[in-house]
Amino acid sequence: MSHTVGVRQAQKQQSRRALLDAGLHLLADQNLASLGVREVTREAGLSPAAFYRHFPDLAALGVALVEESLASLHVMIRSVLAEAGGAEELIDRAVDVIERHVREHRAHVRFLSRERHGGVRQVREAIDAELGRFAAEVGAALALQPVSRGWSERDLRMLAELYVDHMVSTASAFLEAQEADPARERRIAATARLQLRLISLGRRHWQGS
Amino acid sequence: MSHTVGVRQAQKQQSRRALLDAGLHLLADQNLASLGVREVTREAGLSPAAFYRHFPDLAALGVALVEESLASLHVMIRSVLAEAGGAEELIDRAVDVIERHVREHRAHVRFLSRERHGGVRQVREAIDAELGRFAAEVGAALALQPVSRGWSERDLRMLAELYVDHMVSTASAFLEAQEADPARERRIAATARLQLRLISLGRRHWQGS
DNA sequence: AAGTTCGGCAAACAACTGTTTACTGAATGA
DNA sequence: TCATTCAGTAAACAGTTGTTTGCCGAACTT
């Protein structure tokens, strides 16, 4: 994809990028629902009318941001699931990856966390659908682990959802911690690790539903 | 409290109530950050200027709504913690209470879920502080249960936070399910129960950190 | 009964909003 | 080389916004 070579296409992509970046930047302390077309174009250095050459709506820009944000998340999840090793190392690794991901994609993560329950339905649904797909992916990976021998489809799914929800909560917590107290960040990582250990303990003793 | 008997005070309270209700109603499909003073007063049947007799800001109205919303949540949590009985019945009861609470306080719950990571700092902080207090309360209640014998303060706290986060996730899920598919609602309740069972299993086998 | 308090109102302010219009000029392709 | 495409522009549109002003009249106080 993205093999649009013409000079014109390239320039258009550049403007589109500028709009997305401007939006992402403004959404650092604002909701998508309260964002304005003029506001975005001003920040992007374009005229208001130019916006409509790229998106019909601000909601459409929001959906584009969702796709972007989740692409990087997808990469992150896979990098955790691909790991092998004991439960302990896996937990440590997972928490580390989340922490780093939040640090390196602060704007994207904040956007997801803010708009997951935000005021724009289209965006909310896009995020939820994608999180559901993550849960499915996690569930499939869990099924391959020896610990899951004999688990029903339903139990695997509920465990996967528990992990995904926990990941989301932890990421949100990191988000707030990182731009405040650096010590609080360590505390959050430690708590997340303990919680994952407790879940993993419950998993080992699960007898099926 | 609220023993302000004068006719004047009563009328003022009535207007204030109208503003809060109007805000809550409008926030059903909108963010606090995108709410307007005129919008609220129009919905409440007052003139725009009247707003400033009650709140300096829309953020202030938001904080007032946080207090309201969390008061009812507080009652709910206590009603779960006060229960006695085996782990299984406790879990069933907790999920039922959450489900009913969301049904009966839809607007409040949606407001909390939406503004927890929303664009208004004051409100965000108010919600987070209160959720922290909930976790402390849950932790104190957990400490009294026999299963927690020998648990460190830190482990109790991390378990309490896990429960609170899980409650928040479940409530959000109910919120979306209830205004869509009624069958999906049953599925969410079932999943939440399984997850709580798994956590409770991990808890029983916990050896300390 | 007279004076004070104060919640609510209409009106005005400048500033901003989303969207459409007709246009320009560079990249494109024949 | 010449016609076409099309991303971007400035200008205009009618609405809306937050907030302040001076005023009214009912509820309070003495």
Side-chain angles (χ1 to χ4, degrees):
Chain A
M1 68 181 90
S2 78
H3 188 52
T4 49
V5 272
V7 173
R8 208 163 205 176
Q9 308 265 13
Q11 287 173 343
K12 181 168 186 181
Q13 287 295 325
Q14 201 176 15
S15 293
R16 189 187 141 97
R17 194 89 283 282
L19 288 171
L20 290 170
D21 287 343
L24 210 47
H25 180 242
L26 290 168
L27 288 170
D29 29 36
Q30 198 173 167
N31 284 322
L32 179 58
S34 70
L35 201 62
V37 171
R38 293 186 112 105
E39 209 178 346
V40 176
T41 54
R42 196 185 309 128
E43 175 86 10
L46 297 175
S47 79
F51 178 85
Y52 298 96
R53 302 286 187 199
H54 299 271
F55 305 100
D57 249 353
L58 270 169
L61 183 140
V63 171
L65 284 177
V66 172
E67 285 160 17
E68 246 190 32
S69 306
L70 286 165
S72 65
L73 233 192
H74 219 208
V75 172
M76 183 203 88
I77 295 220
R78 283 188 190 282
S79 92
V80 172
L81 293 181
E83 298 280 323
E88 285 299 316
E89 304 102 69
L90 224 148
I91 287 174
D92 289 351
R93 176 99 179 105
V95 174
D96 283 355
V97 167
I98 294 176
E99 181 173 350
R100 220 186 54 218
H101 187 267
V102 173
R103 199 193 310 280
E104 289 172 4
H105 301 85
R106 216 207 268 321
H108 278 146
V109 174
R110 178 164 32 210
F111 168 72
L112 287 177
S113 144
R114 182 158 294 169
E115 300 302 330
R116 174 144 139 81
H117 304 288
V120 182
R121 174 137 48 100
Q122 251 181 299
V123 170
R124 239 163 33 217
E125 284 172 357
I127 295 177
D128 253 46
E130 201 65 33
L131 285 182
R133 249 166 269 144
F134 279 143
E137 187 172 345
V138 170
L142 291 179
L144 299 179
Q145 301 181 332
V147 211
S148 312
R149 169 175 303 276
W151 279 53
S152 71
E153 203 58 52
R154 187 172 73 142
D155 288 358
L156 279 172
R157 175 75 188 192
M158 80 87 184
L159 180 61
E161 286 178 12
L162 183 59
Y163 276 136
V164 170
D165 282 353
H166 186 263
M167 185 196 73
V168 170
S169 293
T170 305
S172 295
F174 272 132
L175 201 61
E176 292 169 32
Q178 284 180 5
E179 55 202 13
D181 193 352
R184 205 179 141 200
E185 196 176 347
R186 304 317 315 144
R187 212 184 64 79
I188 292 192
T191 300
R193 276 191 293 265
L194 290 180
Q195 290 168 337
L196 285 175
R197 273 178 54 191
L198 190 140
I199 291 174
S200 144
L201 212 51
R203 190 182 166 199
R204 273 208 291 285
H205 292 90
W206 187 254
Q207 315 262 20
S209 62
Chain B
M1 68 182 89
S2 78
H3 189 53
T4 49
V5 272
V7 173
R8 208 164 203 173
Q9 307 264 12
Q11 286 172 345
K12 181 167 186 182
Q13 287 295 323
Q14 200 176 14
S15 293
R16 189 187 141 99
R17 194 88 285 279
L19 287 171
L20 290 170
D21 287 343
L24 210 48
H25 180 243
L26 290 168
L27 288 170
D29 28 37
Q30 199 173 164
N31 283 80
L32 179 59
S34 70
L35 201 61
V37 172
R38 293 187 111 104
E39 209 177 347
V40 176
T41 54
R42 196 184 309 127
E43 175 86 10
L46 297 176
S47 80
F51 177 86
Y52 298 96
R53 302 284 188 200
H54 298 272
F55 306 101
D57 247 354
L58 270 169
L61 182 140
V63 171
L65 284 176
V66 172
E67 286 160 16
E68 246 190 31
S69 307
L70 286 166
S72 65
L73 234 191
H74 219 209
V75 172
M76 183 203 87
I77 296 219
R78 284 188 189 281
S79 92
V80 172
L81 293 182
E83 299 280 323
E88 287 297 316
E89 303 102 70
L90 223 149
I91 287 174
D92 289 351
R93 175 101 179 105
V95 174
D96 283 355
V97 167
I98 294 176
E99 182 173 349
R100 220 187 53 217
H101 187 267
V102 173
R103 199 193 310 280
E104 289 171 4
H105 301 85
R106 217 207 265 326
H108 278 146
V109 174
R110 178 162 34 211
F111 169 72
L112 287 177
S113 145
R114 182 158 291 167
E115 300 303 329
R116 175 144 139 79
H117 304 288
V120 181
R121 173 137 48 99
Q122 250 181 301
V123 170
R124 239 164 32 220
E125 285 172 357
I127 295 177
D128 254 45
E130 202 64 33
L131 284 183
R133 249 166 271 144
F134 279 142
E137 188 171 345
V138 171
L142 292 179
L144 298 179
Q145 303 180 332
V147 210
S148 311
R149 171 176 300 278
W151 279 53
S152 72
E153 202 58 52
R154 187 172 73 141
D155 289 358
L156 279 173
R157 175 76 189 191
M158 80 87 185
L159 180 59
E161 286 179 11
L162 183 58
Y163 277 136
V164 169
D165 283 353
H166 186 264
M167 185 196 74
V168 170
S169 295
T170 305
S172 296
F174 272 132
L175 201 62
E176 292 169 31
Q178 282 180 5
E179 57 202 11
D181 193 352
R184 205 178 142 200
E185 197 177 345
R186 304 317 317 146
R187 211 184 65 77
I188 293 192
T191 300
R193 276 192 292 265
L194 289 179
Q195 289 168 338
L196 286 175
R197 274 178 54 189
L198 190 140
I199 291 174
S200 144
L201 212 51
R203 192 182 166 199
R204 272 207 292 284
H205 292 90
W206 187 254
Q207 316 262 18
S209 63

